[in-house]
Every structure is written in C-alpha cells, then in structure tokens.
C-alpha cells in the first residue's frame, strides 16, 4: 500500500511545554490506524497539527506526497482529509438530510466548520446533492431518520450523523476523535461496524479513542504516544503486551507490589 499521511519528526511547543516531541509515523492508504495514549499524552494536539488548527514548531507533514505543514485547514479538506470532533458538530435545528447536504459545502467553501451557510448557496444541483446525501445516510443507517431534526436523534445517531457530514466532503482520510465516547456497548458496536464499512468502501481511517477494547478490535495498527513522544507502534497484539505501554497506562509498580 502507498503512504497517504506521513508525519516526520513533528514537534509542538507551547512556551516551555513540549506537547508533541519529534513524532514520526505513517498512515497507509486503506488502513485503520489507532492513535492512543493516556490523558494528556498529546493526541488532540497531534490531530490539530494534522488538520491545520495548529502549526508545527518543527518537522514536516505530507499528505499524498505533498507538504501540508503550511496549508490552511480548508485546503486540507479539499485535498481529501476531514476530522470529526469529540463534541458532535451538527446543525441541531436542521433535518438530518439538510445536515448532510450542508456538509457538501465543506469541500468547496472556506472550511468545513465555515460551511454553516444558507442552503441556497449549494442548490445549483440540488437533486444530485439530495441523492448523494441519502446514499450517505444509508451508509450510516440513518436514512429512515432523514426528516427528523438533528437534536432529536439519540446520542449514538448524532455521532453517526457527524460521520456522514464528514463523508460528504469525499475524504480519502477521515480522522475520528473519540468516536465512541459516552456510548453504551450497543452504540459502540454499531459505530465499529460503521467504521469498518466506511473503510471497506475505500476511506482510510485514523482514530483517537480511549476505549481500548474498541481500538484493539478495530485497528490493524496502533501508535502509542505519551508526553507527546511515540513509545510504541505495531499490531494490537504487540501493543497490548508492550511493557512501556502498560507502564504508561497503569503506572510503574513498586517491586513490593509485584
């Protein structure tokens, strides 16, 4: 497989604090990659660097072979990457269908979050957009809810709708930030099936998540960071038994406690 995203020796400093420390990793096209670490490890900062919300202090980032370190966030969306957020980003008083139709503007407007606009600006091909939106709602199993307002959906369905809005930008890489946070086991299993289905249709996935069983069962490769530094990378079975990973999550036990 070819490399889709290439992070090379990237660091981010906030004054005297190093949030990301010489981090390097690759995401291959077609993969499902997990980025994990304990609270405060720097995972959200890494996502913000990749999507352009933050600029790196040093290092390079490449997407499809092109440098993106100084590319504005909305141009990165046009290049084919999009991010979902821990807090569901929805147009709460619009219908489910209207939410997805608005998402199409993210590929063309001045930014994904900046696509909160009148539907009149994207009605030049309304019938086509509606058909495509319904197809995406089928993918996330929300077609039957297309005429409901977003705020009326159960929490798990709102998160799925957020994924559909992201998919409306036609990404090659979708970055999922805590996709199952706050979900019950049934909703978590449903989200796992959705992510696998999206991946099978050709979209590469990079996911940050605290639910370790979710990550280990879903991802083919896992990257672990702590204090902004990569401490392990590999298949889930290798990561689960890595002593440095265990220490990072559980803390180093005294010999007397062994």
């Amino acid at each position: 497989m070819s490399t889709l995203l290439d992070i090379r020796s990237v660091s981010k400093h906030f004054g005297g604090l190093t949030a990301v420390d010489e981090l390097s990793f690759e995401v291959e096209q077609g993969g499902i990659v997990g980025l994990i670490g304990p609270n405060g490890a720097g995972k959200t900062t890494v996502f913000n660097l990749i999507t352009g919300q933050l600029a790196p202090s040093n290092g390079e980032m490449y997407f499809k072979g092109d440098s993106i370190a100084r590319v504005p966030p909305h141009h990165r969306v046009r290049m084919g990457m999009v991010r979902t957020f821990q807090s569901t980003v929805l147009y709460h008083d619009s219908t489910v269908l209207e939410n997805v139709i608005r998402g199409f503007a993210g590929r063309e407007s001045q930014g994904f979050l900046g696509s909160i606009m009148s539907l009149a600006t994207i009605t030049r091909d309304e019938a086509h957009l509606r058909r495509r939106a319904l197809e995406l709602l089928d993918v996330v199993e929300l077609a039957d809810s297309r005429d409901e307002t977003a705020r009326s959906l159960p929490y798990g369905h709102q998160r799925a709708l957020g994924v559909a809005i992201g998919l409306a930008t036609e990404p090659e890489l979708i970055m999922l930030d805590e996709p199952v946070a706050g979900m019950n086991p049934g909703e978590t299993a449903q989200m796992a099936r959705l992510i696998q289905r999206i991946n099978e249709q050709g979209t590469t996935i990079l996911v940050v998540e605290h639910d370790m069983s979710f990550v280990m069962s879903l991802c083919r490769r896992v990257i672990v960071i702590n204090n902004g530094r990569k401490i392990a990378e590999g298949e889930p079975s290798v990561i689960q038994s890595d002593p440095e990973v265990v220490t990072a999550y559980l803390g180093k036990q005294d010999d007397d406690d062994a």
Side-chain angles (χ1 to χ4, degrees), residues 94-97 130 137 142-150 152:
S94 296
T95 68
V96 168
L97 181 61
R130 182 182 175 87
L137 289 176
L142 288 177
D144 290 343
S145 302
R146 59 184 175 272
D147 295 324
E148 299 179 29
T149 59
S152 70

Side-chain angles (χ1 to χ4, degrees), residues 140-163:
V140 300
E141 299 181 350
L142 288 177
D144 290 343
S145 302
R146 59 184 175 272
D147 295 324
E148 299 179 29
T149 59
R151 71 169 64 253
S152 70
L153 294 178
Y155 177 71
H157 288 179
Q158 288 190 13
R159 299 303 301 268
L161 178 55
V163 172

Side-chain angles (χ1 to χ4, degrees), residues 111-153:
F112 178 53
L113 295 180
S115 64
I116 303 175
M117 52 169 53
S118 168
L119 289 177
T121 64
I122 54 173
T123 55
R124 59 188 180 279
D125 195 0
E126 186 174 352
H128 171 73
L129 292 178
R130 182 182 175 87
R131 284 195 302 272
R132 179 62 181 140
L134 287 171
E135 290 172 0
L136 291 177
L137 289 176
D138 272 332
V139 171
V140 300
E141 299 181 350
L142 288 177
D144 290 343
S145 302
R146 59 184 175 272
D147 295 324
E148 299 179 29
T149 59
R151 71 169 64 253
S152 70
L153 294 178

Side-chain angles (χ1 to χ4, degrees), residues 55-81:
S57 301
N58 57 267
E60 262 296 352
M61 300 183 291
Y62 297 90
F63 183 66
K64 296 189 291 186
D66 295 324
S67 175
I68 58 170
R70 292 165 184 80
V71 174
H74 59 279
H75 282 301
R76 300 187 197 201
V77 174
R78 293 176 188 173
M79 291 174 72
M81 66 166 65

